[in-house]
Amino acid sequence: MQRLLEKISILSLSLMLVSTFAVSPAIPAMISHFGHTGYQPQQVEFLITVTSFAIMASLFLNPLYMRVLTERQIISLGLILVAIGGGLPLLTQLYPVIFAGRILLGIGLGMINARAINIVSTHYVGKERLQMMGWRGSMEVLGSASLTALVGGLLAFGWHKVFAIYPLALIILVLYLLYVPQDSPSKVAEASLPKGNLSAEQWRQALGLAFIAFFVINVNSALTLKIPTIVQVSGLGTAQQASLILSAMMLMGILAGIAFGSLIGQLKDRLLGLSVLIFSTCILLTSLSTSLVLLSLSAVISGFFYSIILTVVFNKASEKTPKHLLNTVMTVVLVGCNLGGATSSLVPPILEKLNQHSSGAFGIYAILGILLGGVLLLKSKERRG
């Protein structure tokens, strides 16, 4: 029972990692509220997106955190900042205070981001670690879906009530403190660990994984923004049907997490290349679909392999990295993840100018993805040989 509670507590750290945009349904009501005090819609929307920039800044500060705090203190402080910073609108609806709170939220999420992934590698080995890595990815999806649904219910009580999702981080904190053993090295023990920077080979691997994460998140986020337009403008369906497709794409992440251990056991190094190939093909089919059934099927399959790719990336990042360098490698990969999401609305317009065909940006995305998948498969074949 203790072991099960430990696993639940460790996995719960991933529940709020992608909660930045969970409160997005409240944006129209927030625009109406702040419009009366002279704030423009773009300024209100920036309250949501500024958190992403704070997360990136916090990731870069990880080495500083590690010099002055233990892992347990970093995770605890991060969860407290998430609860306080995210929950500030419950106490006051002043724009500057909420803005500051969203920055605190981002700092807190950045502090626990890498550690929520690393802790799986430091506490588990072998098949158990692979299973936990898969479940960890599922918990991110479950957290995003459940928090977004909770926001929908809270919105009926006023826009500021939706921010009540963030103090839930305190429950996660209690679980973590009660059931996760203090296996992390103390400062004295850390002093005895080998010091040093990443080798050239480790940098290449970290940057390569960061690029793959950047690419698939950028493509998936761009497609998520585009699907409602494709469905409605092409006359394939309604806004409600588009919403159902997006929900199904998201929920496929749970299935991907369950299947991850089995898939990587069977396909090993080939899984990443094959997943990128299938993901890229589905992206092209989704953008060119002339029927709602084909669009739905290709989008849902892309959602499954999107989650598989990210889980493989995080698994590879932690698999062969020495523990004292794990936070550095994970920080590099997570910066790639955040850049992918932050530029998802900026890259497609540029690519559309390069490809005037109906496939637009997604045609170029698909070609790049197929090339990337082919290269990854060739490299896996070389390693097997």
Side-chain angles (χ1 to χ4, degrees), residues 158-169:
W159 66 265
H160 59 287
K161 297 294 185 183
V162 307
F163 292 88
I165 65 171
Y166 292 111
L168 295 176

Side-chain angles (χ1 to χ4, degrees), residues 1-10 12-13 72 75-76 79 170-182:
M1 187 62 180
Q2 181 70 24
R3 186 70 167 172
L4 176 61
L5 289 171
E6 176 193 313
K7 288 184 177 181
I8 292 173
S9 302
I10 286 176
S12 69
L13 292 174
R72 200 171 184 82
I75 292 176
S76 298
L79 289 169
L170 296 177
I171 298 176
I172 298 173
L173 174 61
V174 171
L175 288 173
Y176 172 74
L177 293 176
L178 287 178
Y179 298 114
V180 179
Q182 299 189 50

Side-chain angles (χ1 to χ4, degrees), residues 67-80:
R67 288 195 191 100
V68 297
L69 299 170
T70 65
E71 180 181 86
R72 200 171 184 82
Q73 290 170 338
I74 293 171
I75 292 176
S76 298
L77 180 58
L79 289 169
I80 291 170

Side-chain angles (χ1 to χ4, degrees), residues 12 17 19 62 77 175 182 225 228 252 262 323:
S12 69
L17 293 186
S19 62
N62 262 323
L77 180 58
L175 288 173
Q182 299 189 50
L225 295 172
M252 286 302 287
S262 175
K323 288 186 178 181

Side-chain angles (χ1 to χ4, degrees), residues 300-323:
V300 167
I301 294 174
S302 77
F304 176 87
F305 284 100
Y306 163 74
S307 295
I308 289 290
I309 293 167
L310 288 184
T311 306
V312 174
V313 165
F314 288 130
N315 182 59
K316 283 184 174 292
S318 60
E319 191 175 27
K320 296 180 180 179
T321 303
K323 288 186 178 181

Side-chain angles (χ1 to χ4, degrees), residues 49-59 102-107 110:
T49 57
V50 70
T51 303
S52 297
F53 293 100
I55 291 173
M56 290 186 62
S58 185
L59 286 171
R102 295 295 293 183
I103 291 176
L104 289 178
L105 169 66
I107 293 172

